[in-house]
Amino acid sequence: MKCAVCRGPAVIDLRRHNANFCADHFLKFCRDQVVRAIDEHDMIEPGERVLVAVSGGKDSLALWDILLELGYDAEGMTIGLGIGDYSTASTEAAVAFAARRGRRLGRIDLRGDYDYDIPTAAAVTRRVPCSSCGLSKRHLIDRAALDGGYDVVATGHNLDDEAAVLFGNVLHWHTEYLGRQRPVLAERIGRAGSGSERRVFPRKVKPLIRLAERETAAYCVLRGIDYIVEECPMAEGNRHLRYKEALNAVEAASPGAKQAFYFGFLDNAASRFAPDADGADGELRACGRCGSPTTGDLCAFCRLVDRAAGHDPVPVELVRPRRGGAKHRRARS
Ligand code: Q46
Ligand code: ZN
Ligand code: ZN
């Protein structure tokens, strides 16, 4: 197996590109894919301050590393979700990476700062954990970006993530979500409250859309980045993972299918659903407690805190969808 560029020994084969690469040219391939995504979708302008949402997994750490390698002014932000050993190890991986690169990592701990955690929120609200988790992460990262004066928030969603979400949205014809499934969500200016106009949502971008999960994992291994390998224990049994498995089966039979599905959607169909997303929010005003934009008196995050805070922590084992034997381990370079 030879590298497609230098003909040296290859370390990875990329069937969907019909090419093999040595370590150096694979790392270059990853950076080039990110440059292309950023350029094609006008994600980040030179000189802008970027806040990377860091989980401690392969995608967010690869993203942070690549943005730094490309010369972007990128700092990190991580949220302690309180999901047992998984969260502890995730935070450790994020902190270790930030220390190694000498970059600032903002930290919020749900239990310490807001007196709840994700397993407890799931138990109290009787909804799947990812519901309160996604809401908490979105709210706190947006808030941190606005308060910290960052121009843009970058998240580590990769091609597999986006294709799986698209698959689910198409299966159920969630047209409003299809209208929002874009690699860039523009910032929004509003007059939340009585004050003058200001940014109420930061711009959000997904620079890893041209890289598959296997590629971000290989990137981290080749760069010697320790990341948390285990999937979140609360994701077991969720639909997103089943859609990924289904798409992996299609991809194995037809390399490039995932890419064709997702980029075909962006090129041919995404704009057709934009009207379904526009106006779905209704009139926005300021949350009575935190000032975030909302359609009601209190934003969804403040309502979640009201319900979930102050309860004794509920152990992960009591909330996780299915009992399993997932192990915690770290990548070794
Ligand atoms: S949303 Fe759900 Fe993730 Fe939160 S509860 Fe775990 S699986 S961490 S990306
Ligand atoms: Zn090479
Ligand atoms: Zn609020």
Side-chain angles (χ1 to χ4, degrees):
M1 198 164 87
K2 289 195 168 123
C3 172
V5 182
C6 68
R7 310 308 294 165
V11 296
I12 188 165
D13 66 312
L14 302 187
R15 287 181 67 206
R16 71 196 165 90
H17 289 284
N18 201 17
N20 308 318
F21 292 110
C22 69
D24 284 349
H25 286 116
F26 174 69
L27 295 175
K28 180 175 184 308
F29 162 85
C30 292
R31 288 191 292 266
D32 289 349
Q33 295 300 313
V34 170
V35 168
R36 191 167 158 192
I38 290 174
D39 288 351
E40 280 181 354
H41 299 281
D42 298 323
M43 291 184 178
I44 312 171
E45 296 296 325
E48 287 189 328
R49 290 184 66 219
V50 186
L51 183 63
V52 183
V54 181
S55 70
K58 60 190 182 321
D59 302 311
S60 56
L61 292 180
L63 171 61
W64 197 1
D65 191 68
I66 292 173
L67 291 178
L68 292 174
E69 290 301 297
L70 293 174
Y72 286 102
D73 178 7
E75 296 182 332
M77 162 89 196
T78 196
I79 298 172
L81 302 168
I83 306 177
D85 294 347
Y86 167 76
S87 287
T88 309
S90 301
T91 302
E92 280 173 13
V95 168
F97 179 86
R100 182 174 142 190
R101 296 300 305 248
R103 304 301 296 201
R104 183 177 181 279
L105 175 72
R107 288 174 64 177
I108 287 179
D109 181 72
L110 289 185
R111 181 51 75 179
D113 294 319
Y114 293 94
D115 202 18
Y116 76 97
D117 52 53
I118 295 306
T120 308
V124 171
T125 59
R126 295 173 178 270
R127 299 192 61 188
V128 290
C130 298
S131 165
S132 47
C133 187
L135 165 63
S136 303
K137 289 192 286 196
R138 278 193 303 277
H139 175 91
L140 292 169
I141 299 267
D142 286 359
R143 189 82 262 159
L146 295 174
D147 292 349
Y150 292 92
D151 298 293
V152 52
V153 170
T155 58
H157 297 95
N158 59 40
L159 175 60
D160 297 70
D161 295 323
E162 292 305 294
V165 170
L166 175 60
F167 191 57
N169 286 340
V170 169
L171 264 188
H172 299 285
W173 290 114
H174 289 312
T175 55
E176 179 195 329
Y177 296 156
L178 285 167
R180 284 198 181 140
Q181 202 186 340
R182 294 185 293 251
V184 177
L185 290 180
E187 71 173 22
R188 286 169 64 179
I189 308 288
R191 198 192 299 276
S194 53
S196 54
E197 288 209 323
R198 61 181 172 89
R199 273 197 314 165
V200 292
F201 287 112
R203 183 184 344 136
K204 295 178 105 165
V205 302
K206 300 172 183 171
L208 296 187
I209 51 168
R210 303 192 64 86
L211 290 175
E213 217 157 79
R214 174 173 171 264
E215 291 151 20
T216 59
Y219 179 91
C220 286
V221 171
L222 291 172
R223 290 279 294 161
I225 297 171
D226 252 353
Y227 64 93
I228 172 105
V229 175
E230 189 213 18
E231 294 284 346
C232 170
M234 316 222 84
E236 282 175 47
N238 87 4
R239 284 197 212 157
H240 191 73
L241 289 186
R242 289 206 295 273
Y243 297 152
K244 276 191 178 176
E245 286 164 13
L247 287 170
N248 284 343
V250 177
E251 180 77 16
S254 176
K258 261 183 237 177
Q259 187 169 325
F261 178 50
Y262 176 60
F263 288 102
F265 164 74
L266 291 186
D267 291 343
N268 303 306
S271 59
R272 299 180 189 217
F273 295 100
D276 289 69
D278 292 344
D281 285 337
E283 179 95 359
L284 292 179
R285 49 182 145 146
C287 168
R289 187 174 308 154
C290 74
S292 293
T294 177
T295 49
D297 295 332
L298 281 186
C299 74
F301 176 75
C302 287
R303 281 186 273 128
L304 173 66
V305 174
D306 277 350
R307 288 185 74 185
H311 294 269
D312 286 341
V314 174
V316 172
E317 292 72 27
L318 294 185
V319 190
R320 62 198 292 180
R322 223 191 296 141
R323 284 171 195 279
K327 301 274 190 304
H328 294 84
R329 60 203 163 93
R330 291 290 192 78
R332 290 279 163 243
S333 51

